[in-house]
Amino acid sequence: MMAELMNNQKTKGKKERRSIRNKPMPKVDLTAMVDLAFLLITFFMLTTSLNTPNQLDIAMPDKGPITEPILLSEDRVLNLLLGENNELTYYRGTAESPKSSPQKVAYGKLGLGELLAKTAVDVKQTTNGKDIIVLIKPSGGSTARNLVDAVDAVQRAAIGRYMIIKMNDEEKKMM
């Protein structure tokens, strides 16, 4: 039985007048139900999966001294400027002499995803098979979600070289 109702009524040969005071209170033994509750709690705790933390793996440079600056080919570089209000502006080349005029694009497969795929193919054709380099530059008004979306789009496009760097004054004017 799950719960047992124990009523200790004494039956005597003669009829007694019963009052509420004399009537014994029934007691319920809930030991079996408590055991069952703990078994169910244990079962569900062991069979459910906990949320795994989402993390973004980024290789950061060593903290050693910078000996010489690395020169990049302007033809291989795509700059992504992350602005306020979920705005994303891109251009190719350097801020001093951009190869393409700054243009806005939306986050997502149809916007940023297509841009990265198309530009990666274009860079391979124009630079004799060299890979594209993407520079992601968040502004002070961009959100962490924008940065994560941009890095996710770069990783989905299978681009191996990308960096997160600070935006300079000329790029702030482009926004």
Side-chain angles (χ1 to χ4, degrees):
M1 276 193 241
M2 269 208 203
E4 183 179 338
L5 180 65
M6 293 184 279
N7 197 356
N8 297 331
Q9 292 183 352
K10 298 176 183 175
T11 56
K12 295 182 180 176
K14 58 182 181 175
K15 289 187 177 180
E16 286 185 8
R17 183 176 170 192
R18 292 188 199 175
S19 68
I20 295 177
R21 278 189 235 155
N22 293 343
K23 188 174 182 182
M25 294 295 292
K27 295 181 182 179
V28 178
D29 183 19
L30 298 175
T31 307
M33 288 180 59
V34 171
D35 289 344
L36 180 65
F38 280 114
L39 284 172
L40 288 172
I41 289 171
T42 306
F43 173 76
F44 286 115
M45 284 178 62
L46 294 176
T47 57
T48 58
S49 63
L50 301 175
N51 288 339
T52 56
N54 296 332
Q55 63 185 14
L56 180 63
D57 295 325
I58 297 178
M60 299 301 285
D62 293 332
K63 295 200 178 211
I66 299 173
T67 54
E68 294 179 19
I70 300 171
L71 300 176
L72 302 175
S73 170
E74 294 176 3
D75 296 331
R76 296 175 61 192
V77 176
L78 175 68
N79 295 279
L80 300 176
L81 309 176
L82 310 179
E84 295 178 4
N85 300 325
N86 298 328
E87 288 184 357
L88 176 63
T89 306
Y90 71 94
Y91 70 93
R92 288 185 58 187
T94 62
E96 295 80 26
S97 60
K99 297 284 181 187
S100 66
S101 63
Q103 297 176 356
K104 295 198 183 300
V105 69
Y107 291 95
K109 284 184 182 179
L110 298 177
L112 183 58
E114 275 186 20
L115 170 72
L116 291 170
K118 180 181 151 225
T119 308
V121 170
D122 188 35
V123 166
K124 275 198 181 211
Q125 290 174 350
T126 58
T127 60
N128 296 327
K130 293 187 179 180
D131 290 332
I132 185 174
I133 300 169
V134 177
L135 302 178
I136 303 171
K137 301 177 181 183
S139 69
S142 65
T143 62
R145 183 79 222 159
N146 292 343
L147 179 62
V148 170
D149 288 344
V151 172
D152 283 346
V154 169
Q155 288 179 343
R156 275 194 302 269
I159 296 173
R161 293 179 183 240
Y162 61 93
M163 292 174 261
I164 302 170
I165 60 175
K166 292 182 180 179
M167 191 181 297
N168 61 28
D169 292 331
E170 290 181 36
E171 291 166 334
K172 288 178 184 175
K173 292 175 187 174
M174 290 181 188
M175 300 288 297

